[in-house]
Amino acid sequence: METPEPLEPLAETWQRALCIVAHPDDMEFGAAAAVARWTRQGKWVGYTMVTSGEAGIDGLSPERSRVVREAEQVESARIVGVDTVEFLHQPDGVLEYGVALRRLLAAEVRRHRPEIVITGNFHDTFGGRSLNQADHIAVGKAVLDAVRDAGNRWVFPEQLQDGLEHWGGVREVWAAGSPRSGHAVDTTETFDLGVRSLQAHAAYIEGLGWENWDPEEFLEGFARPTGQRLGVSFAAAFEVFSMGWGE
Ligand SMILES: [Zn+2]
């Protein structure tokens, strides 16, 4: 067997991170344990959900699903120490990458002024043949652009009123669960909180109808081999995009 490629530890010299993902549950499928670690360190982490995942439960209408899924997300965020959860109410399943989405996300970055922006994997696959989902790809690409947009006062200048300033302080964008991850963070101590935060999506998980699916076993299946590559028991992997020039 080949020795797995080692992963570098992620930087933790920051105070504010904003997580921007397409759906409730996107953070909980792997990254939430890392968030729990950071909030324990006293860092501020906020969540922005582009949709409310309202098209995610087959047996529930979007109107009812939206309410259930937002409540589950707020609870699942609370478990990992996140108090700020915002929903942008864009249409689940049919997000389009483009200027409209960049505008919305740039406004979020300008309002929260993070040093790190976290999103999900936005490559075509999760590695191998597991295809990624269209909303994830649209959001991840738009996040990268919106971080740049947020720093340019001449892009979306209509946002810069009532004291809102442009914000060029984002050092890096991190894509959780990317097949091209070169970095990881030790989640050994907070793995259980990550499991609980995924379990908080109870109605969603039930709606998936996966028989005998165990959130803990599922998360361990990723965290353990990732941990091995970092030299710890459990870890979460991220692909790092530097937002500076010449780095
Ligand atoms: Zn998703």
Side-chain angles (χ1 to χ4, degrees):
M1 214 175 109
E2 266 178 78
T3 313
E5 196 78 16
L7 295 164
E8 296 283 319
L10 274 177
E12 291 188 317
T13 53
W14 49 272
Q15 268 308 311
R16 295 179 65 78
L18 180 64
C19 307
I20 304 177
V21 292
H23 312 115
D25 78 68
D26 286 354
M27 288 301 294
E28 288 69 38
F29 276 93
V35 170
R37 170 189 170 97
W38 294 322
T39 57
R40 270 194 182 181
Q41 292 173 344
K43 303 182 193 307
W44 180 87
V45 181
Y47 281 6
T48 296
M49 302 287 135
V50 178
T51 80
S52 298
E54 68 275 11
I57 304 179
D58 188 56
L60 206 59
S61 71
E63 295 72 31
R64 289 179 54 206
S65 186
R66 178 195 309 277
V67 177
V68 171
R69 301 214 64 198
E70 288 188 4
E72 288 187 344
Q73 182 61 58
V74 167
E75 172 59 12
S76 110
R78 189 194 61 77
I79 291 167
V80 295
V82 172
D83 299 326
T84 306
V85 184
E86 292 175 351
F87 298 91
L88 302 183
H89 296 135
Q90 297 305 294
D92 183 18
V94 290
L95 291 181
E96 285 182 299
Y97 166 79
V99 171
L101 186 52
R102 282 167 51 190
R103 179 181 287 116
L104 278 173
L105 302 187
E108 288 296 293
V109 172
R110 285 169 168 172
R111 284 199 304 110
H112 292 294
R113 303 167 77 83
E115 299 151 84
I116 301 294
V117 172
I118 295 168
T119 188
N121 168 37
F122 54 95
H123 295 299
D124 290 342
T125 73
F126 279 95
R129 292 183 182 176
S130 318
L131 278 180
N132 204 343
Q133 194 265 355
D135 287 350
H136 300 161
I137 297 169
V139 168
K141 287 173 66 180
V143 162
L144 271 190
D145 291 337
V147 163
R148 285 222 163 125
D149 299 336
N152 185 334
R153 71 170 76 248
W154 308 118
V155 176
F156 311 135
E158 72 283 0
Q159 293 176 354
L160 303 180
Q161 47 179 304
D162 301 324
L164 190 67
E165 299 272 357
H166 64 292
W167 174 250
V170 178
R171 282 141 53 182
E172 293 179 338
V173 172
W174 296 348
S178 164
R180 297 188 204 159
S181 292
H183 291 73
V185 59
D186 184 352
T187 55
T188 309
E189 299 276 306
T190 50
F191 178 78
D192 291 347
L193 289 169
V195 171
R196 279 179 50 207
S197 78
L198 179 53
Q199 285 167 338
H201 292 278
Y204 173 68
I205 290 170
E206 198 194 312
L208 290 173
W210 296 340
E211 245 174 271
N212 300 321
W213 185 75
D214 177 7
E216 179 165 4
E217 201 176 281
F218 174 86
L219 290 175
E220 200 178 316
F222 292 97
R224 199 177 281 283
T226 307
Q228 204 171 23
R229 295 172 61 193
L230 189 68
V232 299
S233 296
F234 294 133
F238 293 82
E239 181 174 3
V240 171
F241 297 87
S242 175
M243 301 315 291
W245 291 106
E247 285 176 48

